[in-house]
């Protein structure tokens, strides 16, 4: 394995000693690389592990060439930093495109200042002849690196073969560094049937699909952390748009929904804390891969997206359904309906801003999976992944529309 630590100085379990052991087995490393790997103040664990991997890729013998050959090639990587500008359009999302180009800029800087064989600080090591080499190394460490805290020391590792385990919201296996055995272990958390995939948790349970795409290059169907970017309607752009459209949004102001009534209608329990409704418990109960769990997580993410617009009159109210919620006057009812309509209109306009339909996206993915020509010759792995992401974004909007419609129907 390749290992770097946050405390590489002598005397720590995984610093100098580990590097010395590695060299005994696999051969000497150049002094410049050893100095870089052991200097805590020069670069963080991430850049040190990338440097280590890039050197191993080009130079190490023994089992390393076989491992490197098993790793995906740069063309196969779907991490956001690897997207080209024309491929970014496939996300149909300004926020994914913005994050991707920010990532690309950062990686170009890192390449030029550190890894580049012609200009970087480590140029004598000839680690990266092109930007693609640096992108590859960074994506590998981002998406395949493990980290663990052992005796107070944070270790970051690349562990051949162990890094084949995929991420699951309901993992049946877990990893740890076993200090007594001096071994990295993946062990089952439960009985695992023959033929069942062993999955671990990447420890990314709080990441939305943008974060997952940035770090790993995949997105989760029904990611509970995803949020619809509803506008409060009080920013200048919305006010101007509302004015141009006849002033309805401006005159109505920020949408506001009765949180108690909405949750009772949707059959959701829980209560708000620190001004924010929390559905983590319900999301925790729907961590499986079944369509039902995916749909439930989307619905919960849709409700959580409405959080900024929820009010909870008469806090604290026990979660006892609609019982005890006072009758509304016609004026109050109309105000509530206007807010629902305003939020539904935002869903429709976000949906309309994406050029393809759910059906088209599904057909494109089915054609790509079947390997037919329906997806067109341009449908490389990054484009396919972007289509999956935009389809997920649309499904989240559909879930929000369903939630809002259910609430609207309950008021009539
Ligand atoms: C550590 S590797 C896991 C093994 C990987 N399948 C392989 O051998 O190349 C991490 C990569 O696997 C993929 N991956 C892991 N978990 C996934 C999941 N739940 N859904 C889709 N792709 C996943 C992503 O491409 C990620 O960057």
């Amino acid at each position: 394995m390749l290992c770097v630590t946050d405390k590489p100085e002598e005397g720590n379990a995984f610093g100098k000693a580990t590097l010395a052991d590695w060299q005994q087995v696999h051969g000497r490393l150049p002094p410049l690389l050893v100095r870089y790997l052991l200097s805590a103040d020069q670069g963080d664990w991430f850049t040190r592990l990338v440097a280590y991997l890039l050197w191993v890729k080009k130079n190490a013998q023994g089992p390393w060439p076989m491992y490197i050959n098993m790793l995906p090639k740069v063309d196969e990587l779907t991490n956001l930093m690897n997207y080209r500008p024309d491929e970014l359009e496939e996300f149909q999302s300004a926020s994914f495109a913005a994050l991707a180009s920010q990532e690309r800029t950062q990686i170009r800087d890192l390449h030029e200042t550190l890894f580049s064989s012609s200009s970087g600080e480590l140029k004598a090591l000839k680690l990266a002849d092109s930007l693609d080499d640096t992108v590859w190394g960074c994506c590998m460490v981002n998406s395949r690196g493990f980290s663990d805290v052992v005796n107070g020391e944070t270790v970051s590792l690349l562990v051949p073969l162990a890094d084949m385990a995929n991420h699951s919201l309901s993992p049946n296996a877990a990893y740890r560094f076993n200090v007594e055995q001096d071994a990295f272990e993946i062990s089952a958390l439960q009985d695992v049937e023959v033929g069942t995939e062993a999955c671990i948790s990447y420890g990314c349970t709080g990441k939305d699909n943008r974060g997952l795409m940035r770090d790993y290059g995949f997105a989760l169907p029904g990611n509970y952390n995803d949020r619809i970017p509803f506008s409060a309607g009080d920013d200048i752009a919305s006010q101007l748009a509302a004015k141009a459209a006849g002033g309805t949004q401006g005159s109505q102001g920020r949408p506001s929904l009765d949180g108690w009534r909405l949750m009772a209608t949707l059959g959701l329990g829980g209560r708000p804390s620190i001004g924010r409704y929390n559905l983590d418990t319900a999301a925790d109960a729907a961590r499986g891969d079944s369509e039902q769990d995916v749909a439930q997580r989307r619905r919960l993410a849709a409700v959580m997206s409405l959080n900024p617009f929820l009010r909870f009159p008469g806090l604290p109210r026990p979660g006892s359904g609609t019982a005890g919620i006072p009758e509304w006057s016609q004026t109050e009812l109309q105000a509530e309906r206007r807010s629902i309509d305003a939020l539904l209109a935002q869903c429709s306009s976000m949906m309309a801003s994406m050029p393809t339909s759910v059906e088209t996206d599904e057909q494109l993915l089915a054609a790509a999976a079947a390997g037919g020509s329906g997806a067109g010759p341009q449908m490389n792995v990054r484009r396919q992944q972007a289509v999956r992401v935009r389809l997920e974004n649309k499904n989240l909007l559909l879930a929000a529309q369903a939630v809002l419609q259910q609430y609207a129907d309950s008021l009539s």
Side-chain angles (χ1 to χ4, degrees):
M1 69 177 74
L2 306 183
C3 169
V4 299
T5 152
D6 63 338
K7 294 175 187 158
E9 306 83 12
E10 199 151 13
N12 290 298
F14 293 94
K16 243 179 174 168
T18 309
L19 208 52
D21 287 352
W22 195 92
Q23 293 185 83
Q24 281 228 319
V25 178
H26 301 288
R28 295 214 65 74
L29 296 169
L32 173 59
L33 181 61
V34 172
R35 270 202 306 281
Y36 185 70
L37 295 180
L38 289 179
S39 58
D41 49 313
Q42 265 195 35
D44 52 18
W45 67 268
F46 178 78
T47 51
R48 284 187 280 135
L49 201 48
V50 174
Y52 204 172
L53 175 66
L54 288 175
W55 190 88
V56 161
K57 179 181 188 230
K58 275 193 156 182
N59 303 284
Q61 293 306 312
W64 292 105
M66 197 177 78
Y67 171 58
I68 298 290
N69 266 332
M70 276 174 48
L71 296 177
K73 312 286 173 272
V74 75
D75 280 355
E76 296 159 4
L77 298 177
T78 50
N79 305 55
L80 272 186
M81 70 170 74
N82 202 27
Y83 275 77
R84 310 296 187 264
D86 60 315
E87 294 167 347
L88 286 178
E89 287 170 23
E90 299 284 9
F91 284 105
Q92 302 178 350
S93 156
S95 75
F96 274 84
L99 183 60
S101 63
Q102 186 184 319
E103 288 279 295
R104 192 81 184 170
T105 306
Q106 277 175 8
I107 205 75
R108 191 171 287 121
D109 280 357
L110 191 63
H111 175 69
E112 279 159 17
T113 56
L114 193 62
F115 297 121
S116 161
S117 304
S118 56
S119 65
E121 196 187 313
L122 299 174
K123 65 181 175 194
L125 295 171
K126 299 256 171 271
L127 296 176
D129 300 332
S130 71
L131 177 60
D132 271 355
D133 292 330
T134 298
V135 168
W136 178 85
C138 290
C139 289
M140 287 304 104
V141 171
N142 250 343
S143 56
R144 313 185 80 87
F146 293 94
S147 81
D148 203 353
V149 178
V150 188
N151 297 336
E153 197 175 348
T154 304
V155 286
S156 304
L157 312 147
L158 278 168
V159 189
L161 302 186
D163 65 356
M164 290 175 74
N166 277 349
H167 166 78
S168 169
L169 282 177
S170 45
N172 55 11
Y175 71 87
R176 71 166 186 143
F177 199 99
N178 183 334
V179 194
E180 295 80 44
Q181 305 280 324
D182 199 19
F184 187 85
E185 291 177 350
I186 292 198
S187 37
L189 295 170
Q190 62 208 50
D191 287 347
V192 181
E193 282 197 28
V194 174
T196 304
E197 183 179 357
C199 289
I200 57 174
S201 166
Y202 287 4
C204 54
T205 39
K207 282 185 187 170
D208 62 8
N209 278 343
R210 266 180 16 129
L212 291 178
M213 281 299 294
R214 178 193 60 209
D215 296 340
Y216 304 102
F218 72 89
L220 282 178
N223 189 331
Y224 170 65
N225 303 305
D226 274 356
R227 296 289 176 265
I228 298 167
F230 284 116
S231 150
D234 49 11
D235 57 296
I236 290 175
S238 304
Q239 293 289 345
L240 287 174
K243 210 168 164 197
T248 42
Q249 173 92 28
S251 54
Q252 183 202 322
R254 182 189 178 86
S256 164
L257 302 178
D258 183 326
W260 294 130
R261 242 174 249 257
L262 177 69
M263 297 304 162
T265 306
L266 301 178
L268 295 168
R271 53 175 60 238
S273 94
I274 329 174
R276 178 178 177 276
Y277 206 85
N278 184 318
L279 294 168
D280 296 0
T281 312
D284 237 30
R287 283 184 301 169
D289 296 327
S290 67
E291 267 181 39
Q292 213 179 359
D293 274 3
V294 170
Q296 170 71 344
R297 290 198 302 270
R298 262 184 210 133
R299 182 174 155 90
L300 297 173
V303 177
M304 289 293 284
S305 304
L306 296 171
N307 235 326
F309 308 106
L310 302 186
R311 59 181 195 282
F312 289 92
L315 257 177
R317 177 192 290 277
S320 55
T322 38
I325 297 182
E327 282 287 307
W328 266 336
S329 69
Q330 275 308 310
T331 319
E332 287 169 318
L333 209 50
Q334 274 167 9
E336 195 78 353
R337 286 206 181 104
R338 270 202 305 276
S339 284
I340 299 173
D341 288 347
L343 291 163
L344 277 170
Q346 285 196 41
C347 287
S348 303
S349 114
M350 283 184 253
M351 195 69 109
S353 73
M354 293 190 273
T356 55
S357 66
V358 166
E359 293 70 30
T360 306
D361 291 348
E362 284 173 346
Q363 280 161 11
L364 283 170
L365 290 175
S373 58
Q378 299 303 317
M379 200 67 170
N380 66 22
V381 284
R382 283 183 296 281
R383 288 179 189 274
Q384 285 176 46
Q385 185 54 29
V387 175
R388 268 181 218 111
V389 167
R390 77 189 190 208
L391 179 57
E392 185 53 40
N393 289 342
K394 286 170 191 152
N395 280 324
L396 180 59
L397 281 170
L398 288 177
Q401 283 174 326
V403 158
L404 287 164
Q405 198 52 58
Q406 187 181 345
Y407 184 44
D409 293 346
S410 79
L411 299 181
S412 38

